Amino acid sequence: MKEALALKHPVILTRTGAVNQRLGMKFEKLGAKTMLWPAFSIQLPEDESIAARRFSDLSDVELVLLVSPASVAAVAHWVDRWPAHITLATVGEGTARVARAAWGPDVPIIYPQGDAAHSGSEVLMEELRKRGIPSRVLICRGQTGREWLSEELISAGADVQKLACYERTPLELSPEQREELSRAVAEGVPPVVYITTSEAVGMLMHALHDEPQGWSWLLSGTALVIHPRSEQRAIEAGFRQVAMCSPKDEDVVRAAMDAMRTMDAAGAALG
């Protein structure tokens, strides 16, 4: 009975691509109402020639920094195999796994060990300092991002180049998603919102800028986050309930169910 009550809470998933769909299917199998709201969509740059030229000759690069799984997917469009002198770096273990899946288990990668809470630009920078700052770094990213890491590398003596290898388009709710949101607001059951980046919070705010009731409903729920930076951003945005979890699917499902039960208990205490 308690499980059935918990599953009344909608689950909003904000990751991109197949990962979001896979996680959504797991929640749906449990009987949860799932809303797929990828914080942004990703596509290759309109002009691919800039990236193609850059990757055609990497003789002036020592380390290639891949900022996210999206950057791995984009760069794999141009790179089948890395030159022997190239070392890769990622800001987390998850992106490193995606990179090894793309280019094989033997590609050298520097990344912070551990879960998402112990990853990020600051931890990667510590690791690079321990190993020795590379002289020439290529940061593969979207239109923006990882500015702090870029500045720190430059301050430490590295020659840093930034390459926009993909473009991010913020979430825009479709008419169907707006109808789904209206129904959820009318039902008044607070949601669980899964957020994996601090930028995703801003993109949710953008998507709901003309839906003040929808935004208030969103904030009435629980934000599930995987990194302290996202936790801080969610609190700043107005979420009163924020919980940390691992990005592994089974941990996200478990944390979401815990959040649902906590909200039910709080509602029962008030009611």
Side-chain angles (χ1 to χ4, degrees), residues 182-197:
S182 295
R183 289 194 297 270
V185 170
E187 290 169 2
V189 180
V192 174
V193 188
Y194 180 45
I195 297 169
T196 58
T197 68

Side-chain angles (χ1 to χ4, degrees), residues 52-96:
R53 284 195 302 271
R54 174 64 276 187
F55 289 119
S56 68
D57 181 9
L58 292 170
S59 59
D60 61 340
V61 174
E62 180 181 346
L63 182 136
V64 175
L65 173 58
L66 302 161
V67 303
S68 66
S71 67
V72 174
V75 172
H77 178 73
W78 295 286
V79 178
D80 293 323
R81 185 176 182 180
W82 292 101
H85 73 280
I86 290 292
T87 296
L88 304 182
T90 69
V91 296
E93 191 170 338
T95 303

Side-chain angles (χ1 to χ4, degrees), residues 136-159:
R136 295 161 297 178
V137 179
L138 175 64
I139 299 178
C140 299
R141 62 180 194 175
Q143 301 98 310
T144 60
R146 302 296 170 183
E147 304 298 345
W148 180 89
L149 186 54
S150 173
E151 291 169 5
E152 287 294 303
L153 285 166
I154 292 169
S155 297
D159 176 17

Side-chain angles (χ1 to χ4, degrees), residues 90-93 110-115 118-121 123-125 127:
T90 69
V91 296
E93 191 170 338
I110 299 170
Y111 61 92
Q113 303 282 340
D115 60 23
H118 299 93
S119 65
S121 295
V123 187
L124 175 61
M125 192 65 199
E127 188 65 28

